[in-house]
Amino acid sequence: QVQLVESGGGLVQAGGSLRLSCAASGRTFSNYAMGWFRQAPGKEREFVAGISWSGHSTAYADSVKGRFTISRENAKNTMYLQMNSLKPEDTAVYYCALVTSPVVVKTTSEYHNWGQGTQVTVSS
């Protein structure tokens, strides 16, 4: 019932930055945690970052820790992923999704209402 739409992807040079947005329509976030995932060519979808309903608890994949920052504005029904110091290995389609839990969850199979994804390409 809740639809998610990712935006903000694009082509950037290594070392550059992008800010991804995930906007929800149809209903509010309620008390759901949310997460960002990515899928590179030939690879499985992987967890990137997650944030609790309150926004006080976050989790990151080791590969992006210190470079990416996840946040959310529940009043705007929007989640963000600030990506700094981008590397070519960050190239992937980035997806956002919901999980029926107020706390951070890293398990991909527990998420639902996936967006269509936004392409991030980092050139070397």
Side-chain angles (χ1 to χ4, degrees):
Q1 188 172 349
V2 177
Q3 294 179 300
L4 302 180
V5 179
E6 301 93 338
S7 62
L11 174 63
V12 298
Q13 294 182 335
S17 298
L18 285 173
R19 190 192 192 199
L20 305 184
S21 297
C22 174
S25 63
R27 296 183 66 181
T28 64
F29 285 166
S30 297
N31 61 345
Y32 292 171
M34 300 184 69
W36 285 99
F37 297 79
R38 67 187 182 187
Q39 187 165 17
K43 295 185 177 181
E44 294 185 347
R45 190 193 312 154
E46 65 174 344
F47 173 83
V48 175
I51 187 167
S52 65
W53 170 79
S54 68
H56 295 316
S57 181
T58 59
Y60 298 91
D62 289 341
S63 59
V64 306
K65 194 171 298 181
R67 300 187 297 119
F68 291 9
T69 302
I70 188 172
S71 62
R72 66 190 296 172
E73 295 185 62
N74 290 351
K76 293 184 177 181
N77 291 325
T78 303
M79 178 178 65
Y80 306 96
L81 185 67
Q82 178 66 46
M83 306 186 295
N84 298 325
S85 301
L86 284 163
K87 305 174 181 179
E89 48 264 47
D90 294 319
T91 296
V93 177
Y94 283 71
Y95 300 90
C96 63
L98 304 174
V99 61
T100 309
S101 171
V103 300
V104 175
V105 175
K106 295 183 178 181
T107 306
T108 305
S109 62
E110 296 188 26
Y111 283 80
H112 51 85
N113 294 84
W114 297 90
Q116 82 285 358
T118 185
Q119 177 70 49
V120 172
T121 303
V122 184
S123 62
S124 60

